[in-house]
Amino acid sequence: MENQEYYNIECEEVLLGTIIASNINFKSVRSILKAEYFYSDDNKKIFKELSDKLIKGKQCTIITLKDFFNDNTDGGYKYLKFLTSKASSIVDLKEYAQKISELWQKREIQDEILNLKLNKDGDEVISKLINKLNGLRIGYDVQKTLTTDEIIDEIDELERNFTAKPVPTGFPTLDKMMNGGLNKKQLTILGARPSLGKTTMGQNIILNAQRKGFDSLFISLEIDKRQVLLKFLSMMARVDGYKIQTKTLDQGEAQRIIEAKEQLKQMNLRVNDTCGLDYMKIDEIVRQAKDTGNLDLVLVDYVQIINSIDARWKNKADLIKEATTHLKQIAIKYDVAVLALCQINRQGVQDGKQPSLTDLKGSGGIEEDADVVIILHRDQAGDEESATYSNNGKLIIAKNRFGMTNNVPINFDGRYAQFNELTRNYDGF
């Protein structure tokens, strides 16, 4: 029985390449990793060589390592050059090291389970297994345990220095219910059934935030950047999206599109449309955006298609839980508001039923991790097969950890891909 499911070669390559490119990075992983933790035999040899030299204060570069690579690895010098091409200045090497360590421990546990199945000295195997299970998270940082007076002092200090403002959604009643808008370090889920407009609503929110001076990153796992841009132009210029795509604009519309393009160029709005991203790659994209400019809001479209680093033996609900947990961590780590789009089960909104938290695909993990859950709902205008919906609808605040829950009436103008709030009754919902 092989344990091939517990490894991540790309993770190993990026870590090694980054250390070779800048030896100072070794310090952040030295206490976490050992050569034996690597899955690839070549990578084991390479990390041991790096460790031995760097601990002794020697420099490790392509030149100083060339002879070692030629003599001791299957890929030779070519593999060394490949590793350095994988170097990255934006990854969290400690996180990569912890992942490599965790995968090694899982392989070790799997081996002990196999020994147990083969009836090899059961008591000894069980003892080893318990020890390895107890040590599964060795190498992870823990926060200092604080007394209540220390916590209060820390909160007072944070409040004195607190300058972060919530990111406005552009829907006044919604913002009031969420204490000003999308708050940093929080994960907000926006759910809707397919074809109801959740991506369009997400883009509306991004554009509204940008107009108020809040910088955004749109990570689209499903729609390419050209389609994203066309929808932004339609919203900003108030030109029918169909006319933009078919190039049937009149003179006034063409001029408004030109002006909208110029406005977009002035915005610090970034779009990444890489397909098949896992949460570690999303983390890298957010880090890169944060390092190259201000960043307030990250929109991820959408949760259910975020890939897992280690998907074997996990059901869909587990994978969604894994994705939402890491999105919440990204919000905290980079001090941004994360708005993640999410699909609703089709069967959950049949017969005119208003959708709820339990209708979200993989709802258990979403309910647990999200600070706010907003459900976009529009009544069906025709039969099930026609898939047409009323322009009037509502934003259902189904969960709000730090604020109110209720409904916000909205209207959708499909020509310009715009949602608008129908009421501004702030005092009574």
Side-chain angles (χ1 to χ4, degrees):
M1 180 179 180
E2 297 183 0
N3 44 28
Q4 294 181 358
E5 60 273 15
Y6 294 128
Y7 67 89
N8 188 323
I9 295 298
E10 182 177 6
C11 192
E12 295 182 5
E13 292 168 348
V14 171
L15 183 138
L16 292 173
T18 303
I19 292 174
I20 294 170
S22 180
N23 292 172
I24 196 171
N25 289 307
F26 177 69
K27 290 182 179 180
S28 65
V29 304
R30 176 179 175 179
S31 62
I32 302 172
L33 284 180
K34 296 180 181 178
E36 66 194 77
Y37 295 177
F38 289 77
Y39 182 81
S40 161
D41 288 337
D42 274 353
N43 292 343
K44 289 177 183 177
K45 297 174 187 175
I46 293 164
F47 186 79
K48 186 176 187 308
E49 180 70 7
L50 288 172
S51 299
D52 291 346
K53 286 188 179 316
L54 292 172
I55 288 172
K56 294 175 183 177
K58 296 181 179 179
Q59 191 177 23
C60 293
T61 66
I62 291 181
I63 303 302
T64 61
L65 291 170
K66 183 175 180 180
D67 291 340
F68 169 80
F69 275 81
N70 282 334
D71 297 337
N72 295 281
T73 66
D74 292 337
Y77 184 58
K78 184 182 291 186
Y79 186 52
L80 170 61
K81 294 179 70 176
F82 168 75
L83 285 179
T84 54
S85 73
K86 303 281 281 189
S88 173
S89 61
I90 63 171
V91 300
D92 184 343
L93 273 203
K94 180 177 281 190
E95 185 175 337
Y96 275 47
Q98 289 167 345
K99 185 64 182 178
I100 292 168
S101 173
E102 180 181 310
L103 290 171
W104 167 75
Q105 290 176 78
K106 287 181 177 180
R107 294 197 299 270
E108 291 287 291
I109 289 168
Q110 189 180 55
D111 287 343
E112 296 301 340
I113 292 172
L114 177 60
N115 289 336
L116 191 60
K117 288 181 178 179
L118 296 175
N119 297 316
K120 291 185 177 180
D121 196 351
D123 290 341
E124 182 181 349
V125 171
I126 290 173
S127 177
K128 288 182 179 179
L129 186 57
I130 290 172
N131 288 335
K132 286 175 179 175
L133 286 170
N134 287 336
L136 184 58
R137 296 189 65 83
I138 288 174
Y140 283 73
D141 289 338
V142 293
Q143 297 293 327
K144 176 189 174 185
T145 302
L146 301 177
T147 63
T148 52
D149 62 318
E150 289 175 319
I151 294 171
I152 291 171
D153 288 343
E154 189 174 278
I155 291 172
D156 288 343
E157 181 65 23
L158 286 172
E159 288 180 347
R160 281 193 293 272
N161 298 316
F162 185 75
T163 57
K165 296 180 179 179
V167 179
T169 66
F171 298 85
T173 306
L174 180 65
D175 287 341
K176 180 177 176 63
M177 293 171 70
M178 297 193 300
N179 301 316
L182 303 170
N183 287 275
K184 293 185 177 182
K185 298 186 185 296
Q186 290 187 13
L187 170 63
T188 300
I189 295 291
L190 173 61
R193 66 178 299 176
S195 304
L196 209 62
K198 63 181 179 296
T199 301
T200 300
M201 174 61 79
Q203 287 190 247
N204 273 220
I205 291 172
I206 280 183
L207 196 55
N208 292 337
Q210 287 286 158
R211 285 168 169 160
K212 293 292 186 180
F214 292 83
D215 298 323
S216 306
L217 166 64
F218 184 9
I219 301 176
S220 176
L221 285 76
E222 186 178 40
I223 303 172
D224 71 86
K225 55 182 173 286
R226 181 177 179 275
Q227 293 297 319
V228 171
L229 176 61
L230 287 175
K231 192 169 287 187
F232 275 130
L233 290 174
S234 176
M235 294 172 188
M236 296 177 67
R238 290 189 64 80
V239 173
D240 192 317
Y242 176 78
K243 298 182 74 173
I244 299 175
Q245 294 192 63
T246 57
K247 295 181 173 59
T248 54
L249 305 172
D250 62 32
Q251 188 173 355
E253 291 167 338
Q255 181 59 36
R256 294 204 300 274
I257 290 294
I258 291 172
E259 293 170 358
K261 286 181 179 179
E262 288 303 313
Q263 292 174 33
L264 270 176
K265 288 180 181 179
Q266 301 304 314
M267 293 180 178
N268 189 20
L269 168 58
R270 286 147 286 182
V271 179
N272 187 300
D273 63 349
T274 306
C275 294
L277 293 175
D278 58 50
Y279 56 80
M280 287 184 72
K281 290 176 182 175
I282 291 174
D283 186 291
E284 291 178 24
I285 291 168
V286 176
R287 176 187 287 274
Q288 186 177 41
K290 190 80 173 180
D291 287 346
T292 56
N294 186 52
L295 184 62
D296 303 295
L297 171 63
V298 176
L299 188 148
V300 180
D301 185 12
Y302 59 97
V303 168
Q304 283 91 351
I305 54 175
I306 296 175
N307 282 347
S308 173
I309 292 175
D310 179 19
R312 185 168 294 198
W313 297 327
K314 293 178 182 177
N315 60 36
K316 191 62 179 177
D318 291 335
L319 297 176
I320 293 171
K321 164 63 178 169
E322 181 179 71
T324 55
T325 296
H326 283 87
L327 290 177
K328 178 61 185 286
Q329 291 172 354
I330 286 171
I332 295 170
K333 181 177 178 182
Y334 297 110
D335 190 28
V336 295
V338 174
L339 176 62
L341 308 188
C342 174
Q343 279 197 355
I344 285 180
N345 292 309
R346 286 184 181 273
Q347 63 270 26
V349 288
Q350 292 177 347
D351 302 323
K353 173 180 171 286
Q354 178 171 295
S356 64
L357 279 174
T358 56
D359 296 317
L360 299 173
K361 289 185 177 179
S363 60
I366 293 171
E367 287 185 60
E368 183 178 340
D369 294 321
D371 297 289
V372 179
V373 178
I374 304 168
I375 298 175
L376 170 63
H377 178 62
R378 290 159 57 200
D379 290 329
Q380 197 156 314
D383 57 32
E384 184 70 24
E385 292 184 0
S386 67
T388 57
Y389 301 93
S390 168
N391 288 333
N392 290 336
K394 64 184 75 171
L395 294 174
I396 303 165
I397 317 304
K399 176 185 177 180
N400 192 355
R401 188 166 282 159
F402 306 107
M404 295 176 280
T405 59
N406 213 304
N407 301 336
V408 179
I410 56 171
N411 175 267
F412 177 60
D413 189 337
R415 295 171 301 166
Y416 312 134
Q418 286 191 340
F419 284 94
N420 298 287
E421 186 178 311
L422 286 179
T423 179
R424 297 193 176 188
N425 180 21
Y426 305 139
D427 298 321
F429 301 100

